[in-house]
Amino acid sequence: LVGVYLIKGDCFIYCNEALFSLFGYGSDQDFKLLTPLDLVHPEDRPTVARNIEARIKGEVESVRYTFRGIHKDGSTIYCEVFGRRIIDGDEPAILGTLVDISERIQAEDALLEKEERFRTLVETTSDWVWEVDADMAFTYASPRVFDLLGYEPSEVLQKTPFDLMSPNEAARMTAVFAGASKPLVCLENLENANLHRDGHEVCLETSAVSFFDMEGKFRGLRGISRDITARKEAEENLRLQLQRLSALRTIDMTVGSSLALKVIL
């Protein structure tokens, strides 16, 4: 699977069959018409040329790097190459190996694309996305924490959720979070009171799931929190209004009953 080559001057002196195959060639007869730079993407040729020259001149003994190669069908392949300066006869030469890493590069690019998509989603959502470790210390906080609690994400790192609560609420939530260290346990729609940086209270609704390492050891929680302060205030106002309405009805019924009794009498 590894291509092996020997370069002297600007020519291949030797290439194994794996190297022919990597670039889509069937025999060494085809390679006799090619120079090493013929197999390199035009944009990467200056880099490859400098690396070859530096070893031939003895400026460096060996080098490992990546470049884009040109397959016989015209497609681009990604190559990782290692080459060392040797003396072949009385002349300097380069003996090395080459591996096709196209699949790895494609997988890395796909992963980076997914990470970027996830980062964009996390940073633009109206919810605060966070992660804590096994000691309940924040290891990640999305930018939304500033809008909710007035802290920059970097300021809450290494703090715990309980550091952002009153003592009584912290004690209550510590007991709740302790149960989340067990497998298959999730926290859903958990209401908790937090303190904004300026001191006023912010009511959050939190959902979280625990995660574990390969040995099953608890490693922390990942979750989201949203501000439900306005909703809670509206619910409290509605409760008070209903309470007052109920009181008024009771008074009306009492007055009405009293009047009816007087009429009867």
Side-chain angles (χ1 to χ4, degrees):
L1 298 179
V2 177
V4 179
Y5 63 87
L6 178 63
I7 297 173
K8 185 180 293 186
D10 61 353
C11 299
F12 286 109
I13 302 303
Y14 168 78
C15 295
N16 69 347
E17 292 186 6
L19 192 66
F20 304 152
S21 178
L22 289 177
F23 287 93
Y25 292 89
S27 71
D28 61 348
Q29 295 299 318
D30 298 319
F31 261 61
K32 288 181 177 179
L33 303 176
L34 299 173
T35 69
L37 294 182
D38 289 330
L39 302 175
V40 180
H41 190 283
E43 294 180 2
D44 292 347
R45 284 174 187 167
T47 298
V48 175
R50 284 195 301 270
N51 285 328
I52 291 176
E53 182 180 11
R55 283 170 292 175
I56 292 295
K57 290 182 176 180
E59 296 173 0
V60 295
E61 282 298 310
S62 63
V63 65
R64 183 189 302 274
Y65 62 100
T66 61
F67 69 89
R68 288 168 294 175
I70 301 297
H71 194 274
K72 186 177 181 180
D73 64 10
S75 62
T76 299
I77 62 174
Y78 289 84
C79 306
E80 182 177 75
V81 63
F82 172 79
R84 178 178 295 278
R85 183 178 189 270
I86 66 170
I87 299 298
D88 183 40
D90 294 327
E91 300 179 52
I94 300 174
L95 177 65
T97 59
L98 184 146
V99 180
D100 183 352
I101 59 170
S102 299
E103 290 187 4
R104 190 186 81 190
I105 295 296
Q106 291 168 1
E108 291 173 353
D109 288 344
L111 180 60
L112 288 174
E113 182 180 352
K114 290 180 180 179
E115 289 177 347
E116 177 63 19
R117 188 182 305 122
F118 175 74
R119 185 188 64 80
T120 302
L121 177 63
V122 165
E123 294 186 357
T124 57
T125 183
S126 59
D127 294 334
W128 171 28
V129 181
W130 51 264
E131 179 180 283
V132 296
D133 61 19
D135 296 322
M136 295 298 160
F138 285 109
T139 55
Y140 174 77
S142 68
R144 181 63 173 162
V145 67
F146 180 80
D147 299 319
L148 269 59
L149 300 177
Y151 294 95
E152 294 291 345
S154 60
E155 293 181 293
V156 301
L157 296 183
Q158 302 310 313
K159 293 181 181 292
T160 72
F162 321 119
D163 293 329
L164 307 177
M165 302 174 181
S166 67
N168 289 339
E169 183 71 346
R172 182 179 76 88
M173 295 306 300
T174 297
V176 174
F177 272 62
S181 62
K182 300 176 182 178
L184 304 180
V185 174
C186 298
L187 303 177
E188 294 185 318
N189 304 325
L190 179 66
E191 295 183 5
N192 53 102
N194 291 251
L195 296 178
H196 191 277
R197 186 170 196 159
D198 64 13
H200 78 269
E201 189 173 276
V202 179
C203 187
L204 299 181
E205 184 179 74
T206 296
S207 296
V209 62
S210 53
F211 62 96
F212 302 81
D213 61 20
M214 297 298 292
E215 286 73 37
K217 183 179 179 181
F218 175 67
R219 304 302 297 175
L221 293 168
R222 297 186 179 107
I224 59 173
S225 298
R226 62 184 55 177
D227 186 354
I228 59 169
T229 305
R231 190 186 83 189
K232 297 299 293 183
E233 290 176 350
E235 291 175 352
E236 179 62 15
N237 289 335
L238 179 59
R239 186 187 69 79
L240 292 175
Q241 290 177 13
L242 292 175
Q243 189 177 38
R244 286 195 291 268
L245 181 59
S246 177
L248 289 173
R249 286 177 176 173
T250 300
I251 293 172
D252 287 344
M253 291 178 64
T254 301
V255 172
S257 297
S258 177
L259 292 175
L261 180 59
K262 287 181 179 180
V263 171
I264 293 172
L265 295 174

